[in-house]
């Protein structure tokens, strides 16, 4: 091993010398190249700098390369875009300029996009005819157009006592009345509507036809449309037949109203208005535009309308008329309305039959692998469940009961609207079978029936009807399938409301609820008073007989009163307040009617009331929805609160403490009607209707006549029974209630004891989910406390 080392070393040295001789020329050349490049680099940089100075620094291009926002002149070939910031400011000025930089957007997207409603109808009437012809026009036309206004001379609108929109001009100048109408429309509605119809009150307007006509005319067109007067050389539209003006024409005419007023010398509004429009726009009256025809039929002065319609009702002049002028009596407007409604119904039936025939004829050309056409033809297809949780349950019924109506009862009596709904379908099915069998089957009864509410198409029915065959004398059963499809949804116009109304929260408090009431007032202070909500909390303190309400140490509600005074002083500048009303009871808790009667004595009719309970957690979102959904003389809002389950049945205690809206924590209690908002004026009007059944409480002494155990309905039922207002009842996730034990009377109930039945239903659903309750039962038996 020692002798082998020098031998290997000599071999490596020889190999290195041989390869070194072969690559020596390459290595030497590489070293010379690197050295030359290092020597020449400084001289080359000097020349580049001098070249840059000569070529670029002497021109404008260097400035443009350095700053693209140069203020200097730009050549056509070397143009560079420039960003102009007119409202730029330093970061230190952000707080100072935050208000000026805030983008204010309209409340509704239609305002921002300039979307207008379609048609406004202005009716020229008088104080002698508005209560007859005016009311008739309002009843037959108001639901077809977007807005209807009546214009009258010589009287204020408040003196009429009519529930219709009236604009009164106090000075009587009949010749310029039409120009005052145009001035009023241009000042108030020029940007809200595409078309305006001017007409007299002795004219019947076919609402569906007039609206379809303006819908099919382009809004970019200048429209002066109507029926020419009898003179064939005239360029004016007859105001008795109706005149349609686009908003562009009305805008042009509004600028020439002073000229029109000075040049008013004719005795008729038709000539004066026509001369004004022609002067302002050079646009004569047209009876047709973009394929749409405007025609009017004029009645004779001494004609009998009913007889006249029977004689020439089939004429195209009458059937295709947009308006009928010179109506003799106000009752004739209703007769004309009935005539045109029947004509509209015939046209609708004809179009449905035509569409059905087209669908059937198109079936042969459809692909073979698709499903069959829906039944009824043209309706939405039935709901197809994606999972087993989406299956819609069928209800089974007979002549007296509905079987398995919910998870808690096996049967439910077939009464009320359910009975009316079933019998209407049964009667229609019987009529269909009589027509199909030409009267050979005689109806005997219902064997059974099924129904299903499909939210995508309507209500489907399967009926098994029993008939007697008059030919053979035998009893037979026939299966009938029926469907009540959903109609096209219609947007109901609502009065304009804002979120600025002050809400008065009314909360009854008894002595046993003092601790909970104090917690509620603290939550109210943090949620409403600190944030500056426009609200007022009014506590209805219910004292037991013989207890002091003077505010001294003997007053049981003294801690609550002191807290109310403290918060009122702290937030006095913001306008927030907590007050109370002391009510001395007669030993039992008064009804909600008695509490509201005594509380509302000092409040005005336009005060917005929200009846609430101490277990509720109220948020600003809920208060805003109360303001938007409660409309004076129109609507009452009843919120369905999210109520917690019993704490021992809920596993998610973290979510339970945070009052999360979760199906495992709580549920929307549809049997809870405690939270309802309304206006004082609406309540008093409904309360007056039931004053004989439920006495009105004017003082604490009247509580002796209050018998809450005899009342089977509350404030919600009051508006439902004794008021024509719309009642909006919807789930409200921002209204949360902590769990409260529900106590119901343990008495033998009858079918008429509706209130106690609702109490038991509410009590059964308040404990928890079925899975949670079944788990508790299993745990109870597994611990040896019972036997399965």
């Amino acid at each position: 091993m020692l002798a082998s080392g020098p031998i290997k070393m000599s071999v490596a040295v020889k190999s290195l010398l041989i390869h070194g001789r072969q690559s020596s020329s390459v290595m030497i050349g590489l070293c010379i190249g690197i050295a030359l490049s290092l020597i020449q680099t400084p001289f080359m940089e000097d020349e580049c700098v001098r070249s840059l100075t000569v070529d670029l620094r002497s021109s404008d291009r260097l400035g443009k390369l350095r700053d693209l926002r140069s203020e200097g002149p730009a050549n056509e070939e070397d143009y560079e875009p420039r960003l102009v910031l007119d409202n730029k400011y330093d970061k230190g000025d952000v707080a100072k300029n935050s208000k000026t930089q805030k983008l204010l957007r309209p409340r509704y997207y239609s305002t921002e996009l300039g979307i207008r409603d379609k048609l406004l109808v202005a009716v020229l009437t008088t104080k002698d005819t508005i209560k007859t012809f005016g009311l008739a026009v309002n009843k037959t036309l108001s639901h077809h157009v977007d807005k209807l206004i009546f214009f009258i001379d010589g009287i204020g609108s408040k003196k009429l006592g009519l529930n219709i929109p009236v604009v009164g001009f106090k000075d009587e100048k009949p010749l310029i009345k039409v120009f005052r109408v145009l001035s009023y429309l241009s000042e108030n509605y020029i940007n809200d509507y595409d078309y305006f119809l001017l007409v007299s009150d002795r004219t019947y307007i076919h609402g569906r036809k007039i609206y379809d006509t303006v819908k099919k005319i382009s809004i970019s067109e200048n429209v002066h449309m109507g029926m020419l007067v009898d003179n064939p050389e005239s360029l004016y539209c007859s105001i008795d037949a109706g005149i349609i003006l686009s908003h562009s024409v009305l805008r042009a005419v509004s600028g020439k109203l002073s000229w029109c007023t000075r040049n008013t010398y004719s005795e008729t509004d038709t000539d004066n208005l026509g001369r004004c429009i022609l002067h302002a726009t050079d646009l004569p009256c047209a009876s047709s535009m973009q394929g749409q025809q405007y025609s009017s039929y004029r009645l004779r002065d001494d004609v009998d309308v009913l007889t006249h319609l029977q004689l020439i009702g089939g004429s195209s002049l009458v059937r295709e008329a947009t308006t009928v002028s010179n109506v003799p009596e106000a009752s004739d407007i209703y007769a004309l309305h009935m005539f045109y409604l029947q004509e509209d119904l015939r046209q609708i039936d004809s179009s449905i039959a035509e569409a059905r025939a087209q669908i059937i004829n198109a079936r042969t050309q459809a692909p073979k692998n698709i499903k069959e056409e829906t039944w009824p033809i043209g309706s939405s297809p039935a709901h197809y469940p994606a999972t087993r949780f989406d299956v819609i349950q069928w209800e089974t019924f007979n002549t007296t009961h509905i079987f398995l109506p919910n998870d808690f009862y096996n049967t439910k009596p077939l009464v009320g609207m359910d009975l009316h709904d079933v019998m209407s379908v049964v009667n229609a099915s019987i009529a269909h079978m009589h027509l199909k069998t030409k009267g050979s089957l005689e109806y005997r009864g219902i064997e059974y029936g099924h129904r299903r509410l499909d939210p995508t198409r309507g209500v489907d029915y399967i009926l098994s009807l029993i008939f007697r065959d008059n030919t053979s004398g035998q009893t037979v059963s026939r299966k009938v399938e029926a469907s009540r499809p959903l109609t096209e949804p219609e947007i109901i116009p609502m009065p304009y409301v804002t979120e600025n109304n002050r809400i008065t929260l009314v909360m009854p408090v008894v002595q046993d609820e003092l601790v909970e009431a104090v917690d509620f007032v603290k939550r109210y202070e943090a949620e409403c008073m600190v944030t500056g909500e426009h609200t007022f909390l009014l506590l209805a303190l219910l004292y037991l007989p013989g207890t002091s309400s003077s505010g001294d140490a003997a007053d049981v509600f003294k801690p609550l009163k002191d807290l109310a005074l403290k918060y009122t002083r702290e937030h006095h500048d913001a306008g927030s307040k907590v007050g109370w009303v002391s009510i001395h009871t007669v030993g039992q808790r008064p009804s909600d009617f008695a509490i509201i009667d005594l509380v509302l004595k000092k409040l005005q009719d336009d005060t917005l009331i929200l009846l609430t309970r101490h277990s509720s957690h109220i948020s600003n979102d809920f208060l805003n929805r109360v303001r938007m959904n409660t409309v004076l003389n129109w609507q009452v809002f009843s919120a369905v609160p999210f109520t917690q389950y019993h704490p021992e049945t809920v596993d998610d205690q973290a979510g339970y403490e945070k009052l999360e809206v979760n199906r495992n924590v709580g549920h929307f209690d549809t049997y809870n009607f405690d939270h309802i908002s309304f206006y004082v004026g609406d309540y008093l009007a409904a309360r007056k209707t039931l004053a004989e059944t439920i006495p009105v409480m004017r003082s604490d002494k009247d509580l002796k006549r209050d018998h809450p155990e005899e009342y089977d309905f509350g404030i919600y039922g009051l508006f439902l029974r004794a008021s024509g207002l719309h009642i909006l009842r919807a789930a409200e996730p921002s209204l949360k209630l902590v769990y409260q034990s529900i106590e119901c009377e343990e008495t033998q109930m009858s079918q008429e004891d509706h209130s106690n039945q609702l109490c038991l239903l509410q009590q059964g659903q308040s404990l928890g989910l079925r899975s949670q309750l079944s788990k508790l039962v299993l745990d109870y038996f597994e611990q040896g406390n019972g036997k399965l």
Side-chain angles (χ1 to χ4, degrees):
M1 294 297 291
L2 293 176
S4 64
I7 297 174
K8 292 183 179 180
M9 182 63 70
S10 61
V11 173
V13 171
K14 288 179 181 180
S15 176
L16 180 61
L17 291 175
I18 292 172
H19 290 286
R21 293 191 190 102
Q22 296 176 355
S23 59
S24 59
S25 60
V26 178
M27 298 295 294
I28 293 171
L30 181 62
C31 292
I32 293 173
I34 293 174
L36 290 175
S37 65
L38 293 175
I39 294 172
Q40 293 293 329
T41 298
F43 300 99
M44 295 177 65
E45 289 180 352
D46 237 2
E47 293 179 0
C48 288
V49 172
R50 286 195 298 271
S51 175
L52 181 63
T53 303
V54 174
D55 296 338
L56 295 178
R57 292 185 182 180
S58 61
S59 67
D60 295 334
R61 294 189 61 191
L62 181 60
K64 290 183 174 59
L65 291 174
R66 289 179 175 177
D67 188 4
L68 296 178
R69 294 176 293 173
S70 173
E71 299 295 338
N75 298 327
E76 294 182 359
E77 298 179 356
D78 300 327
Y79 174 76
E80 298 291 344
R82 180 165 56 91
L83 180 63
V84 178
L85 300 176
D86 294 334
N87 298 325
K88 58 185 177 181
Y89 51 87
D90 298 333
K91 293 183 179 179
D93 298 335
V94 172
K96 181 175 68 177
N97 297 330
S98 60
K99 294 184 178 179
T100 59
Q101 295 297 323
K102 185 178 180 181
L103 177 62
L104 298 177
R105 301 188 64 183
R107 178 181 297 274
Y108 304 107
Y109 72 87
S110 58
T111 305
E112 185 173 1
L113 298 178
I115 299 176
R116 296 182 289 264
D117 289 330
K118 188 57 64 178
L119 181 61
L120 181 148
V121 178
V123 181
L124 305 180
T125 183
T126 64
K127 59 184 179 181
D128 297 328
T129 60
I130 188 172
K131 293 185 178 181
T132 54
F133 286 94
L135 289 177
V137 172
N138 179 72
K139 290 182 180 180
T140 57
L141 183 64
S142 60
H143 54 285
H144 287 291
V145 299
D146 297 312
K147 192 171 185 64
L148 179 64
I149 305 178
F150 293 86
F151 293 90
I152 190 172
D153 269 344
I155 191 171
S157 59
K158 296 183 179 179
K159 297 180 181 180
L160 297 173
L162 301 176
N163 191 22
I164 59 177
V166 179
V167 176
F169 304 129
K170 293 185 179 180
D171 50 340
E172 298 185 7
K173 295 182 179 180
L175 292 181
I176 65 171
K177 175 182 177 180
V178 66
F179 300 129
R180 300 191 64 180
V181 171
L182 293 178
S183 176
Y184 180 86
L185 295 178
S186 63
E187 291 176 0
N188 296 278
Y189 300 105
I190 189 65
N191 296 320
D192 298 334
Y193 296 91
D194 289 331
Y195 298 99
F196 299 84
L197 173 65
L198 277 72
V199 68
S200 65
D201 61 349
R202 291 190 60 185
T203 301
Y204 170 76
I205 301 100
H206 189 180
R208 184 185 298 274
K209 186 173 181 59
I210 190 70
Y211 199 83
D212 290 342
T213 300
V214 298
K215 278 200 310 182
K216 297 175 182 179
I217 300 177
S218 173
I219 59 175
S220 61
E221 189 81 13
N222 294 327
V223 178
H224 176 205
M225 192 174 182
M227 189 73 178
L228 292 172
V229 295
D230 296 336
N231 186 359
E233 298 180 357
S234 175
L235 301 176
Y236 304 154
C237 291
S238 171
I239 198 169
D240 291 333
I243 303 175
I244 299 177
L245 301 178
S246 63
H247 73 281
S248 58
V249 172
L250 180 60
R251 191 185 303 275
V253 172
S254 63
K256 301 293 183 179
L257 288 179
S258 58
W259 182 93
C260 299
T261 304
R262 291 194 306 268
N263 291 271
T264 299
Y265 51 82
S266 299
E267 296 295 332
T268 62
D269 291 333
T270 296
D271 293 339
N272 295 329
L273 180 59
R275 187 184 309 108
C276 178
I277 297 174
L278 197 61
H279 170 76
T281 63
D282 291 331
L283 192 66
C285 176
S287 58
S288 63
M289 184 171 293
Q290 297 183 1
Q292 302 302 312
Q293 297 290 331
Y294 189 100
S295 61
S296 180
Y297 185 79
R298 181 177 178 85
L299 296 171
R300 297 193 307 271
D301 294 333
D302 56 347
V303 70
D304 181 77
V305 174
L306 292 176
T307 305
H308 191 67
L309 289 176
Q310 293 176 356
L311 293 176
I312 64 169
S315 172
S316 60
L317 293 176
V318 179
R319 290 187 292 104
E320 298 177 1
T322 307
T323 60
V324 179
S325 61
N326 197 31
V327 179
E329 300 292 339
S331 58
D332 295 332
I333 292 183
Y334 299 109
L336 289 167
H337 188 57
M338 179 62 69
F339 171 79
Y340 282 103
L341 285 180
Q342 293 174 352
E343 184 64 26
D344 290 342
L345 184 59
R346 282 193 293 268
Q347 293 181 3
I348 292 173
D349 291 340
S350 177
S351 61
I352 291 175
E354 183 180 354
R356 182 180 289 111
Q358 292 177 357
I359 294 173
I360 295 175
N361 295 333
R363 179 183 180 184
T364 58
Q365 303 176 3
K368 300 300 181 182
N369 56 350
I370 66 172
K371 298 181 179 180
E372 295 185 0
E373 70 273 6
T374 59
W375 184 88
I377 295 175
S379 64
S380 300
H383 171 72
Y384 183 79
T387 63
R388 61 188 179 91
F389 301 103
D390 298 332
V391 177
I392 300 177
Q393 183 179 359
W394 287 84
E395 288 183 347
T396 303
F397 58 87
N398 58 13
T399 56
T400 58
H401 288 81
I402 299 175
F403 301 98
L404 298 177
N406 50 51
D407 296 335
F408 302 98
Y409 290 92
N410 292 330
T411 61
K412 184 177 83 171
L414 186 63
V415 295
M417 292 304 299
D418 289 328
L419 179 62
H420 175 75
D421 176 69
V422 169
M423 293 311 300
S424 63
V425 176
V426 170
N427 293 333
S429 302
I430 295 172
H432 172 74
M433 292 301 299
H434 277 289
L435 181 63
K436 185 177 180 180
T437 60
K438 298 181 181 180
S440 62
L441 295 180
E442 183 180 349
Y443 174 71
R444 292 301 187 184
I446 306 175
E447 189 175 3
Y448 61 85
H450 306 286
R451 71 174 179 178
R452 179 182 68 173
L453 175 59
D454 191 335
T456 62
R457 59 182 264 120
V459 186
D460 296 327
Y461 303 85
I462 298 177
L463 303 175
S464 179
L465 304 179
I466 302 174
F467 295 91
R468 179 184 180 276
D469 192 343
N470 294 329
T471 304
S472 61
Q474 297 179 353
T475 301
V476 295
S477 63
R478 293 289 184 267
K479 303 296 186 295
V480 179
E481 185 176 1
S483 178
R484 193 195 298 274
L486 291 175
T487 58
E488 182 180 359
E490 179 182 358
I491 299 178
I492 301 176
M494 295 288 290
Y496 180 75
V497 293
T498 64
E499 297 178 356
N500 299 325
N501 291 340
R502 184 185 183 95
I503 299 179
T504 300
L505 289 85
V506 177
M507 186 182 74
V509 183
V510 298
Q511 181 175 346
D512 297 338
E513 301 171 346
L514 180 60
V515 177
E516 293 83 356
V518 170
D519 293 338
F520 177 86
V521 174
K522 292 179 179 179
R523 293 195 303 269
Y524 171 79
E525 189 265 345
E527 189 69 26
C528 299
M529 304 182 77
V530 173
T531 58
E533 277 290 323
H534 198 41
T535 57
F536 168 49
L537 176 60
L538 185 58
L539 304 173
L541 306 180
L542 307 179
Y543 285 89
L544 294 175
T547 57
S548 173
S549 61
S550 58
D552 53 8
D555 191 345
V556 293
F557 291 110
K558 186 178 186 303
L560 190 59
K561 292 181 177 180
D562 293 342
L563 187 64
L565 292 174
K566 173 187 174 183
Y567 288 153
T568 301
R569 288 193 298 267
E570 291 178 356
H571 303 281
H572 176 73
D573 296 337
S576 298
K577 183 181 178 182
V578 180
W580 66 82
V581 174
S582 299
I583 300 175
H584 294 272
T585 65
V586 293
Q588 64 177 357
R589 182 187 177 99
S591 64
D592 287 343
F593 301 109
I595 296 174
I596 298 298
D597 289 344
L598 297 175
V599 166
L600 301 188
K601 291 188 301 182
K602 299 181 180 180
L603 299 179
Q604 298 180 356
D605 289 352
D606 59 348
T607 303
L608 176 57
I609 299 295
L610 171 61
L611 184 62
T612 184
R613 297 294 187 265
H614 61 79
S615 60
S616 61
H617 289 244
I618 294 175
S619 67
N620 296 336
D621 292 338
F622 169 61
L623 295 178
N624 287 333
R625 274 190 280 274
V626 168
R627 296 185 179 99
M628 298 300 292
N629 293 326
T630 310
V631 186
L632 181 62
N633 297 328
W634 192 274
Q635 181 170 279
V636 175
F637 178 50
S638 175
V640 178
F642 180 81
T643 308
Q644 286 184 322
Y645 288 135
H646 194 285
E648 295 183 3
T649 64
V650 178
D651 295 332
D652 185 10
Q653 291 298 320
Y656 191 85
E657 294 178 358
K658 295 179 181 178
L659 266 176
E660 292 182 353
V661 180
N662 190 312
R663 66 181 301 270
N664 296 321
V665 173
H667 70 295
F668 286 100
D669 191 356
T670 56
Y671 299 106
N672 188 311
F673 299 90
D674 294 336
H675 297 80
I676 185 171
S677 60
F678 50 88
Y679 280 90
V680 173
D682 295 336
Y683 173 83
L684 295 178
R687 190 72 175 85
K688 185 178 180 180
T689 306
L690 295 181
E692 297 182 358
T693 306
I694 303 176
V696 178
M697 305 296 148
R698 307 187 185 279
S699 65
D700 296 351
K701 297 179 181 179
D702 294 335
L703 293 177
K704 297 178 180 179
R705 299 186 293 125
D706 183 38
H707 303 287
E709 69 279 356
E710 299 179 0
Y711 309 149
D712 59 347
F713 59 92
I715 303 298
Y716 180 86
L718 170 69
F719 287 104
L720 194 64
R721 300 183 182 203
S723 174
L725 302 179
H726 180 257
I727 301 178
L728 176 62
R729 181 157 173 82
E732 180 51 64
S734 298
L735 175 61
K736 305 173 184 178
L737 306 184
V738 297
Y739 174 78
Q740 295 288 322
S741 178
I742 299 174
E743 303 294 336
C744 301
E745 298 180 4
E746 296 183 358
T747 58
Q748 186 66 29
M749 293 184 302
S750 62
Q751 295 290 348
E752 290 76 15
D753 195 356
H754 183 64
S755 59
N756 211 19
Q757 288 182 4
L758 294 179
C759 180
L760 292 176
L761 291 173
Q762 184 181 14
Q763 185 184 55
Q765 293 186 357
S766 66
L767 300 177
L769 295 172
R770 287 186 299 175
S771 58
Q772 296 170 340
L773 297 177
S774 61
K775 181 180 178 181
L776 288 178
V777 173
L778 291 175
D779 292 342
Y780 176 80
F781 283 106
E782 287 178 356
Q783 293 174 3
N785 297 324
K787 296 182 181 180
L788 288 174

